[in-house]
Amino acid sequence: MIELSELQKDALGELLNIGMGRASASLSEMVGEEVELSVPKVDTLSQEEAIERIKGLVGDNITAVKESFKGAFWGDALLLFPEEHSLELVRALIKDDTLPLDMLSEMEQEALTEVGNIILNACLGSLANIFQENLEFALPQYSQGSCEDVIKSNTSSETSSEGVLLLQMNFALQKTKVSGYLTLIMDVASMHALSKQLSKYFGGAV
Amino acid sequence: MSEDKILIIDDSRLSRMMIKGFTLAAKPNWEIIEAEDGIDALAKCEGQNITWMTVDYNMPGMDGITLCIELRERFPNARIALLTANIQDSVKARADDIGVTFIQKPVTEDKIRNYIEN
């Protein structure tokens, strides 16, 4: 299993914090309420451990929006919600209490995909700007199902054998009582590329 | 009679709905044309006199900057905005280089109003 030093993890957590700060400002603008953020967590785990960790936080039935990214470092960014929260979030976004449930459900997938797109872009875009690099994003992909199926089908197969870098942070809307999680999953080669970026950014101190 | 025509290009139906709604709230007489990607946009703008455009960046097929360049050739006097969640400095710089306004998503009424009223 590969490892990052405590200082590297700390630096990554801080940068994720900045990225999520930007992302939560966008989310707050969309729903018109305050978004509370957790402390970021950075770990190197096996894929199975990562799934167990995510399942413990989000539950077994989840809704996910994935955006893969590539460039100076690469991986999969996932925005995850407990399945039962997703309609509430759509309601908060559309801000129309009169919309019938069937229409709300019809909009659910598109609305959450766009939210995922905005949040993941804001977070990853901030990281790219900090490192003065350019990242390319794939189109956002929506999925729903068991935590294990969703994570396995949304991360590239090479990530499974050597372990993954899991960066995670959760956010909660106070009024709407909706919470969600942002995770970045990277393979070993990408983790090395990212640690080079950290050294460059922190002038060799990290 | 319609005063202006705006072409809204975004692969998200929700985003198009919001941009359209906020545009019509500020400019009820404007004609709206919606397109879901670059190919659709280029087909729908054929023979039209379009004065305003909002273009998403991350779409299937052609990316928003490439599309803006194509649209600029066809409509040299149109006001074009890249309306995107992609906040990277590199994307902003490219928008700037081709004379396109950069608007950061999420779409809000204020952002659309500022764009079409200034």
Side-chain angles (χ1 to χ4, degrees):
Chain A
M1 175 73 67
I2 29 81
E3 266 302 332
L4 288 176
S5 71
E6 281 308 310
L7 196 56
Q8 282 176 319
K9 286 184 186 174
D10 183 77
L12 268 180
E14 186 50 29
L15 297 182
L16 181 65
N17 204 17
I18 294 169
M20 270 306 280
R22 186 77 190 247
S24 66
S26 296
L27 179 61
S28 172
E29 210 175 339
M30 282 184 271
V31 295
E33 61 177 289
E34 197 183 331
V35 178
E36 200 171 274
L37 291 175
S38 75
V39 173
K41 267 185 89 73
V42 179
D43 284 298
T44 48
L45 304 162
S46 69
Q47 195 194 40
E48 286 67 33
E49 288 170 323
I51 290 170
E52 282 308 310
R53 166 79 62 82
I54 293 168
K55 201 191 284 185
L57 289 167
V58 197
D60 200 25
N61 294 313
I62 64 173
T63 301
V65 181
K66 176 184 85 156
E67 217 157 85
S68 300
F69 56 96
K70 62 180 182 182
F73 52 99
W74 55 93
D76 299 302
L78 293 135
L79 190 70
L80 307 166
F81 308 98
E83 204 176 280
E84 65 272 20
H85 284 191
S86 58
L87 264 187
E88 277 313 305
L89 182 59
V90 177
R91 222 183 268 279
L93 285 166
I94 295 179
K95 298 187 190 79
D96 186 347
D97 292 340
T98 60
L99 221 55
L101 190 66
D102 56 344
M103 203 164 162
L104 211 59
S105 301
E106 194 202 309
M107 293 296 294
E108 182 181 357
Q109 183 167 338
E110 288 187 52
L112 292 178
T113 304
E114 186 60 5
V115 171
N117 184 40
I118 291 170
I119 290 182
L120 297 172
N121 264 276
C123 182
L124 289 166
S126 296
L127 294 182
N129 289 345
I130 288 168
F131 293 129
Q132 294 182 304
E133 293 286 351
N134 182 49
L135 292 178
E136 277 178 46
F137 304 120
L139 294 171
Q141 285 176 5
Y142 173 94
S143 54
Q144 215 168 36
S146 80
C147 185
E148 188 167 350
D149 288 349
V150 168
I151 302 295
K152 279 193 170 158
S153 63
N154 277 303
T155 49
S156 49
S157 54
E158 311 91 79
T159 56
S160 53
S161 55
E162 292 175 279
V164 295
L165 174 66
L166 180 71
L167 283 89
Q168 65 175 83
M169 200 158 172
N170 71 312
F171 61 87
L173 305 181
Q174 289 310 302
K175 235 168 35 197
T176 334
K177 307 277 179 231
V178 168
S179 60
Y181 300 83
L182 181 132
T183 64
L184 303 183
I185 301 178
M186 283 174 248
D187 65 18
V188 173
S190 174
M191 199 186 310
H192 285 306
L194 182 60
S195 57
K196 275 193 196 139
Q197 291 293 330
L198 285 174
S199 302
K200 199 170 86 183
Y201 179 71
F202 289 101
V206 171
Chain B
M1 201 187 119
S2 162
E3 296 170 1
D4 272 285
K5 242 179 235 184
I6 183 167
L7 174 62
I8 298 169
I9 309 148
D10 201 307
D11 58 331
S12 158
R13 185 170 56 143
L14 180 76
S15 288
R16 292 200 306 272
M17 256 172 58
M18 293 175 83
I19 300 165
K20 181 180 173 179
F22 296 145
T23 301
L24 288 176
K27 305 281 183 184
N29 296 324
W30 279 22
E31 188 179 328
I32 312 274
I33 302 173
E34 292 182 54
E36 59 183 26
D37 59 32
I39 302 291
D40 191 25
L42 293 173
K44 285 181 175 160
C45 71
E46 200 67 46
Q48 302 274 359
N49 180 24
I50 295 165
T51 38
W52 297 80
M53 302 174 191
T54 66
V55 183
D56 184 22
Y57 178 74
N58 204 11
M59 292 184 289
M62 201 181 295
D63 72 66
I65 293 278
T66 310
L67 180 59
C68 284
I69 294 168
E70 291 260 352
L71 290 168
R72 172 61 77 217
E73 272 181 21
R74 294 172 191 218
F75 302 94
N77 299 319
R79 297 276 302 271
I80 308 179
L82 188 73
L83 211 169
T84 176
N86 193 325
I87 57 158
Q88 293 185 79
D89 294 339
S90 53
V91 175
K92 282 185 197 162
R94 284 163 66 201
D96 206 35
D97 285 346
I98 57 168
V100 163
T101 307
F102 182 92
I103 304 174
Q104 187 192 325
K105 278 187 179 178
V107 177
T108 63
E109 186 157 13
D110 283 351
K111 288 177 192 172
I112 298 299
R113 194 178 282 272
N114 276 338
Y115 170 55
I116 59 184
E117 286 187 347
N118 290 318

